[in-house]
Amino acid sequence: ADLIFQYRLAGVDPDWRVPTPLRTARYTSLPPGRRRFEVRAGLGGRWQTVPTAITLERTPALAETGLFRLLALLVVVFGLLGAGWWRTRQLRARRTALEREVAAQTAALAQKHAELERQNQTIAAQVVRMQAMEQIRGRFLSNLSQELRGPLRRINDALADAAAVGI
């Protein structure tokens, strides 16, 4: 007959584990704390009446400590605050650059507007001069026409008389 073992860990195993000839016990993902580990041996269907017991203590890993969790929380909070500060700074710099660009574009447009206004005034003055010149030309042609009509009529009459006479 072979020697077999049963074991249990108080607070984890509700009852004894299935008998096994292995001399090892494995537990994974145990939370930190003190527990009582019990083992009993059996041979030929007879089990040890009083199990052997030992108290085991699993200390928390660094990541399981309250101080670590507090520090991790602080890192996250300050990281978020730092990211918010950095983003705000970035947005302010962008806004300042855009304000400068808008001011430059506005100044350029104001300069163009002033230049176009000067050109418009120059054109308006030229239109007034051309209208005045057109009036002068009209009067000149009207006067010239009247002055030339008399002599031309006399020449035309003289030619008509000459043609009537046969000259």
Side-chain angles (χ1 to χ4, degrees):
D2 288 333
L3 187 61
I4 56 173
F5 301 95
Q6 276 189 311
Y7 58 90
R8 68 180 170 189
L9 186 60
V12 176
D13 295 322
D15 203 3
W16 292 98
R17 294 255 178 137
V18 176
T20 178
L22 299 177
R23 295 175 182 253
T24 59
R26 291 188 190 264
Y27 288 92
T28 59
S29 304
L30 286 177
R34 239 178 230 265
R35 289 180 187 74
R36 180 177 165 93
F37 180 74
E38 299 175 326
V39 63
R40 67 181 179 179
L43 185 62
R46 295 182 50 199
W47 290 99
Q48 179 181 355
T49 55
V50 178
T52 304
I54 186 171
T55 300
L56 301 174
E57 182 174 355
R58 180 177 170 281
T59 57
L62 177 63
E64 296 172 326
T65 63
L67 179 61
F68 178 83
R69 290 179 179 156
L70 176 65
L71 290 175
L73 177 65
L74 288 175
V75 165
V76 168
V77 167
F78 284 114
L80 290 173
L81 288 174
W85 173 81
W86 178 76
R87 181 67 178 143
T88 301
R89 186 169 174 232
Q90 219 180 20
L91 289 173
R92 283 183 183 148
R94 177 76 175 133
R95 183 184 66 202
T96 301
L98 286 173
E99 285 172 352
R100 276 193 222 119
E101 180 68 23
V102 166
Q105 292 291 332
T106 301
L109 284 173
Q111 186 177 3
K112 278 285 190 193
H113 177 73
E115 183 181 327
L116 288 173
E117 199 59 42
R118 283 190 299 275
Q119 289 176 355
N120 194 22
Q121 289 173 356
T122 302
I123 290 171
Q126 288 175 348
V127 165
V128 168
R129 278 189 296 229
M130 297 218 25
Q131 287 172 343
M133 288 175 69
E134 181 63 28
Q135 286 177 355
I136 292 170
R137 184 186 71 80
R139 280 192 305 251
F140 173 75
L141 289 177
S142 175
N143 289 341
L144 182 64
S145 166
Q146 296 230 349
E147 287 185 25
L148 288 177
R149 208 176 297 156
L152 286 176
R153 192 175 319 131
R154 281 191 284 267
I155 293 172
N156 193 27
D157 289 346
L159 288 173
D161 289 346
V165 184
I167 306 183

